[in-house]
Amino acid sequence: MKLYTFFRSSASYRVRIALNLKGLTYEQAPIHLRRGGGEQLSAAYKAINPQALVPTLEDNGKVLTQSLAIIEYLEEKHPSPPLLPKEPADKALVRSMAMVIACEVHPIQNLRVLNYVKKEYNQTDEQVNRWAQQWIDLGLSALEQMIVAQPKRGKYCFGDAPTLADICLVPQLGNARRYGCDLSLYPNILAIEKDCMALPAFVNAAPEKQPDAE
Ligand SMILES: N[C@@H](CCC(=O)N[C@@H](CS)C(=O)NCC(=O)O)C(=O)O
């Protein structure tokens, strides 16, 4: 398998964690999101991923995009260890936690959105960071409440094994710190992050461990 990735990309980080949790080996094809205006915008990469976003996974000639779709593909092809609970309501809960991050928070603090806000509306770096903080805080505070309220509270977002929810949460916390969010407001999330970062699958997927890290 080949993963088109960028070390600091949180969506790529999600897929790296999932691959590691499942014990799958893969090669990395780094796509630098800033160099030369962004390698994701090259014609060669857009031919692979028309959205010009990372990650993309190639597996036996199949080209897969969108981190959640990629992770669900890995889950179906390599069910062990499971990244989703079996019971339908539990599965829906874990997916909903993942989607708080992947569908509501991450898309509106993504590089191209922040660049657009900055240039088109003539905003300073501080104002752009404030924009990112606003949406990250809204999502994390909802997720903190969801974690506390759910019936199977354990070490992770759901229960005592890492799931898709943790896979989305941990990379987002790196972005939250980068934009100056006050994470002390989310003690349950911070405790989950600590437990995740005790696992080699999370540690080895971290941005600073990647071959393209700067
Ligand atoms: N929903 C997509 C999001 C992918 C995405 O936004 N990737 C970012 C990096 S985390 C990217 O490639 N950004 C490039 C840009 O904004 O130009 C997924 O989950 O894969």
Side-chain angles (χ1 to χ4, degrees):
M1 277 185 282
K2 185 199 238 183
L3 182 68
Y4 294 85
T5 173
F6 180 54
F7 72 103
R8 214 187 287 118
S9 151
S10 57
S12 304
Y13 187 178
R14 292 174 201 152
V15 175
R16 296 194 301 257
I17 297 168
L19 287 160
N20 291 349
L21 281 169
K22 291 194 175 285
L24 299 169
T25 52
Y26 63 100
E27 62 171 297
Q28 294 202 9
I31 302 293
H32 200 293
L33 297 187
R34 290 188 185 270
R35 191 182 297 141
E39 292 173 358
Q40 74 278 24
L41 300 172
S42 70
Y45 186 66
K46 280 207 235 171
I48 297 166
N49 183 332
Q51 277 198 292
L53 297 170
V54 288
T56 301
L57 185 75
E58 280 180 7
D59 184 24
N60 279 326
K62 293 182 196 66
V63 179
L64 307 164
T65 65
Q66 286 289 341
S67 61
L68 296 192
I70 294 170
I71 294 168
E72 296 253 4
Y73 167 84
L74 295 173
E75 177 78 351
E76 286 182 31
K77 285 205 74 173
H78 308 277
S80 178
L83 303 177
L84 287 166
K86 280 225 155 24
E87 210 271 306
D90 292 345
K91 197 181 287 188
L93 175 60
V94 167
R95 284 192 175 123
S96 72
M97 289 174 169
M99 286 178 189
V100 168
I101 303 296
C103 302
E104 310 299 338
V105 172
H106 177 265
I108 37 178
Q109 51 90 97
N110 193 9
L111 179 64
R112 63 186 181 180
V113 172
L114 298 186
N115 283 344
Y116 187 86
V117 168
K118 184 171 174 166
K119 284 197 194 117
E120 291 295 316
Y121 300 102
N122 208 18
Q123 299 292 292
T124 63
D125 284 340
E126 201 187 330
Q127 287 168 317
V128 169
N129 284 356
R130 190 59 217 122
W131 163 283
Q133 279 171 20
Q134 159 69 18
W135 305 116
I136 295 170
D137 273 326
L138 201 67
L140 291 183
S141 77
L143 191 54
E144 176 84 2
Q145 290 174 56
M146 290 166 80
I147 288 163
V148 173
Q150 55 107 347
K152 298 202 176 138
R153 183 79 184 92
K155 274 171 78 174
Y156 301 102
C157 285
F158 178 91
D160 284 317
T163 64
L164 183 63
D166 306 287
I167 288 173
C168 289
L169 173 61
V170 168
Q172 185 62 47
L173 297 177
N175 292 357
R177 291 191 176 94
R178 187 157 6 114
Y179 296 118
C181 295
D182 177 7
L183 294 184
S184 67
L185 299 170
Y186 316 116
N188 291 281
I189 283 177
L190 286 179
I192 288 167
E193 182 190 36
K194 200 167 162 218
D195 281 321
C196 288
M197 295 314 289
L199 302 174
F202 281 80
V203 174
N204 294 332
E208 63 276 13
K209 293 270 188 169
Q210 303 316 301
D212 58 330
E214 287 162 357

